[in-house]
Amino acid sequence: MRMVDLIAKKRDGKALTKEEIEWIVRGYTNGDIPDYQMSALAMAIYFRGMTEEETAALTMAMVHSGEMLDLSSIRGVKVDKHSTGGVGDTTTLVLGPLVASVGVPVAKMSGRGLGHTGGTIDKLESVPGFHVEISKDEFIRLVNENGIAIIGQTGDLTPADKKLYALRDVTATVNSIPLIASSIMSKKIAAGADAIVLDVKTGAGAFMKKLDEARRLARVMVDIGKRVGRRTMAVISDMSQPLGYAVGNALEVKEAIETLKGNGPHDLTELCLTLGSHMVYLAEKAPSLDEARRLLEEAIRSGAAIAAFKTFLAAQGGDASVVDDLDKLPKAAYTSTVTAAADGYVAEMAADDIGTAAMWLGAGRAKKEDVIDLAVGIVLHKKIGDRVQKGEALATIHSNRPDVLDVKEKIEAAIRLSPQPVARPPLIYETIV
């Protein structure tokens, strides 16, 4: 085979065979195929797309480009959850201990975040002492003993995806649904998942701004999962405004703890119960989604969910007493309030702009070398559709610098008020199975 012939084949809109795709991925991973040829292929895929068979073949070729995590010694069906990202998305912090408390094994491989706030690991490191530097044997032992453990991502998984993603990032080929779908699904499959629940976001704070784009991505990923023998489903959820109220690392941990205690924001709680019900059902711990939801609601009510979170934190070196004393989490030196300039109704809360404001405070990373300030962030006090009075608090800024005028102005511009009542956006648009 010659790479130039395969680039031309895709350029002309023809489908690549499984063998051709495997040859390309193998050659690119080991350095035989240069970046400039892979860039040309990525651009051809961007314009010409891929069939479902091609996308599934690309996914599995990237899975087999490196190590696959063997979780067969963990008892039960391993269900992984993936969110396509957003602002204030604290679902993993809640869902892990919540589903573990009803017997679903949670063997989670997570990363550090680029963007508005840190990733799941950054957030958990707000808890004094918590760490993810554990061996794979220890990881498996903890899941079997406690039902949950989290480990950092390893460079040995899907090296082809890492190379290709870095290339797409600088060649304007990120926004290709086959390439996005294969990137996400290859990591989930390589990480040992038996079943996968996808939370595909849509709206201003999401990667997929439009509902039809989110729907297409969700359908492609569900199709990949089924083609390669993983039970897979997707929920399309709203990210036109931040999920919950907290945007920031320690602030989101506090909100997750309150949610596990049954005192969390309605939208975060509802989304976690929806996603969690699908995880419990796919793990065969309940005969129906309704029964799965009942189990999760009872786990919150009985205290089993927050107890599972405490056990999880302690097992990985964390100070579990933070659950009962939230003041032990990092606290910012300064707080300031953003208030409503007039009476009215919240018409818009631009999630991406609020996330940017949090990043300016130091809650996130613009590049991977950046150091995150775990204490800072923003706590919102309103949602779209809420009535507000002039002078009422819309948000509280938690900062470690006294001057936050830039952040304040960014938030003020992100929250638009209307004199007329405004309908609340749906939290969940649809489910794809």
Side-chain angles (χ1 to χ4, degrees):
M1 290 185 217
R2 293 195 316 156
M3 185 63 174
V4 66
D5 297 329
L6 300 180
I7 294 168
K9 185 177 182 181
K10 179 47 65 181
R11 178 202 65 197
D12 296 340
K14 296 172 184 172
L16 299 172
T17 67
K18 178 174 177 285
E19 292 71 27
E20 287 168 339
I21 290 168
E22 288 171 347
W23 181 85
I24 291 166
V25 170
R26 192 164 51 247
Y28 184 56
T29 306
N30 64 28
D32 291 341
I33 293 171
D35 280 350
Y36 60 83
Q37 285 191 310
M38 200 64 184
S39 300
L41 180 66
M43 190 60 78
I45 292 170
Y46 179 89
F47 283 112
R48 290 296 197 170
M50 295 183 102
T51 64
E52 292 171 343
E53 292 81 6
E54 283 179 290
T55 308
L58 176 60
T59 301
M60 292 311 292
M62 292 199 294
V63 168
H64 293 301
S65 70
E67 181 187 345
M68 286 183 71
L69 201 57
D70 181 6
L71 302 181
S72 59
S73 56
I74 294 175
R75 297 181 293 274
V77 178
K78 278 71 72 181
V79 185
D80 203 353
K81 187 274 306 183
H82 177 81
S83 168
T84 57
V87 181
D89 187 359
T90 316
T91 51
T92 296
L93 297 180
V94 178
L95 273 172
L98 178 57
V99 301
S101 71
V102 300
V104 178
V106 178
K108 185 77 178 161
M109 182 171 283
S110 290
R112 302 184 185 278
L114 278 178
H116 305 130
T117 60
T120 297
I121 289 175
D122 296 303
K123 292 169 187 175
L124 284 167
E125 286 178 349
S126 299
V127 177
F130 184 89
H131 64 89
V132 294
E133 291 76 25
I134 55 178
S135 68
K136 286 176 190 167
D137 288 344
E138 175 77 351
F139 174 61
I140 288 169
R141 182 185 69 78
L142 288 175
V143 178
N144 276 328
E145 284 185 8
N146 303 325
I148 177 172
I150 288 183
I151 195 171
Q153 288 173 344
T154 165
D156 298 333
L157 294 186
T158 62
D161 174 61
K162 289 181 179 65
K163 281 190 76 173
L164 181 55
Y165 190 88
L167 190 71
R168 288 164 53 211
D169 203 31
V170 294
T171 56
T173 53
V174 168
N175 292 342
S176 160
I177 283 180
L179 295 179
I180 295 168
S182 57
S183 174
I184 291 170
M185 293 298 288
S186 65
K187 289 192 280 282
K188 293 289 128 187
I189 293 163
D194 298 320
I196 301 163
V197 171
L198 300 161
D199 178 18
V200 180
K201 305 289 191 187
T202 187
F207 189 62
M208 292 293 170
K209 308 289 185 194
K210 296 177 182 174
L211 179 58
D212 62 331
E213 291 176 342
R215 188 182 288 122
R216 281 180 58 215
L217 177 61
R219 285 178 175 158
V220 170
M221 290 195 292
V222 169
D223 180 78
I224 290 170
K226 290 178 177 176
R227 284 177 184 274
V228 301
R230 293 342 185 251
R231 295 178 69 190
T232 307
M233 61 77 56
V235 168
I236 300 177
S237 66
D238 181 64
M239 190 43 76
S240 61
Q241 60 184 331
L243 184 65
Y245 292 108
V247 183
N249 299 280
L251 296 172
E252 289 183 39
V253 171
K254 286 183 185 179
E255 190 165 77
I257 290 169
E258 291 295 348
T259 303
L260 287 164
K261 289 178 177 178
N263 306 317
H266 171 75
D267 58 346
L268 177 59
T269 301
E270 181 58 31
L271 183 58
C272 287
L273 287 171
T274 299
L275 295 171
S277 296
H278 285 284
M279 292 175 75
V280 172
Y281 178 68
L282 289 181
E284 300 171 357
K285 292 292 182 181
S288 68
L289 289 173
D290 287 344
E291 176 60 17
R293 185 183 177 105
R294 191 196 65 74
L295 289 173
L296 296 176
E297 289 173 338
E298 178 56 30
I300 293 173
R301 217 170 12 247
S302 70
I306 196 67
F309 190 54
K310 279 183 165 181
T311 301
F312 159 60
L313 293 178
Q316 295 195 216
D319 180 358
S321 70
V322 300
V323 168
D324 302 308
D325 185 359
L326 296 177
D327 287 338
K328 290 186 176 181
L329 290 167
K331 290 179 77 172
Y334 305 95
T335 60
S336 55
T337 307
V338 178
T339 58
D343 292 351
Y345 298 84
V346 179
E348 182 182 1
M349 298 190 90
D352 46 356
D353 290 335
I354 292 168
T356 299
M359 192 164 75
W360 288 355
L361 290 167
R365 294 183 182 88
K367 52 187 186 298
K368 66 181 180 181
E369 299 81 19
D370 290 349
V371 177
I372 280 180
D373 186 337
L374 297 171
V376 303
I378 298 158
V379 176
L380 302 167
H381 302 300
K382 298 292 179 181
K383 288 284 182 183
I384 293 173
D386 285 353
R387 179 162 171 67
V388 298
Q389 294 182 317
K390 182 177 179 178
E392 191 176 357
L394 297 175
T396 300
I397 299 167
H398 295 251
S399 68
N400 278 326
R401 56 180 166 100
D403 179 14
V404 290
L405 183 60
D406 56 334
V407 173
K408 211 165 190 174
E409 289 175 346
K410 188 75 171 174
I411 296 170
E412 287 170 347
I415 302 176
R416 184 171 61 83
L417 303 182
S418 165
Q420 303 300 323
V422 175
R424 300 179 192 278
L427 175 64
I428 295 165
Y429 288 95
E430 61 186 85
T431 300
I432 294 170
V433 294

